[in-house]
Amino acid sequence: MFDNKNKPKGLKRVYLATLNSLRAFNWLMKNEAAFRQELLLLIVVIPITFFLEITIKEQLILIIATLFILFTEVLNTAIESIVDRVGLEIHPLSGLAKDLGSAAVFISLVIAVCTWAAILI
């Protein structure tokens, strides 16, 4: 049971938070094809940015724009997990929550494409 009054502090909190994050990334790698695809995209584009004739600031912007896709995918997966935790029956609000999470991922993809286009064109 979670004890809200006796939470870890300092470096122990950072250590435990890191373990939780690593467990989440491990779960995402095993269970979420979209996350794996977007991670592969990031792994491909990071080296590409080193061969482009752009400033370090522009390179960082391109990498962050691609990282933002992963960020929204993690949030989308969290939303889907919460909805499934509440109930697996089909409900309009459950579908809406999942669709909104998907829309957030789509918007992050548009942002990344626009960012790449703006810097490279």
Side-chain angles (χ1 to χ4, degrees):
M1 194 70 150
F2 180 72
D3 183 3
N4 193 33
K5 295 179 183 176
N6 192 24
K7 294 191 285 188
K9 294 177 178 40
L11 289 177
K12 183 175 182 182
R13 186 198 63 77
V14 172
Y15 172 73
L16 293 173
T18 301
L19 290 180
N20 291 338
S21 296
L22 292 174
R23 188 175 67 242
F25 283 121
N26 185 42
W27 187 92
L28 285 162
M29 287 298 295
K30 289 180 182 175
N31 297 289
E32 285 296 318
F35 181 83
R36 288 191 302 271
Q37 292 166 346
E38 292 153 355
L39 183 62
L40 179 61
L41 174 67
L42 181 67
I43 291 168
V44 169
V45 301
I46 287 175
I48 289 172
T49 65
F50 287 97
F51 296 103
L52 301 172
E53 292 185 24
I54 57 176
T55 67
I56 291 174
K57 187 184 291 185
E58 290 170 328
Q59 180 183 19
L60 186 58
I61 290 169
L62 293 179
I63 292 169
I64 290 170
T66 309
L67 267 171
F68 188 62
I69 298 168
L70 278 176
F71 172 78
T72 53
E73 186 62 50
V74 171
L75 292 180
N76 179 44
T77 301
I79 290 167
E80 290 175 349
S81 296
I82 290 169
V83 168
D84 291 346
R85 163 70 169 82
V86 170
L88 295 176
E89 69 279 354
I90 295 174
H91 188 281
L93 291 176
S94 296
L96 177 61
K98 289 184 174 193
D99 290 348
L100 291 169
S102 179
V105 174
F106 178 77
I107 291 168
S108 72
L109 287 163
V110 171
I111 289 169
V113 169
C114 290
T115 303
W116 277 78
I119 290 176
L120 297 180
I121 296 176

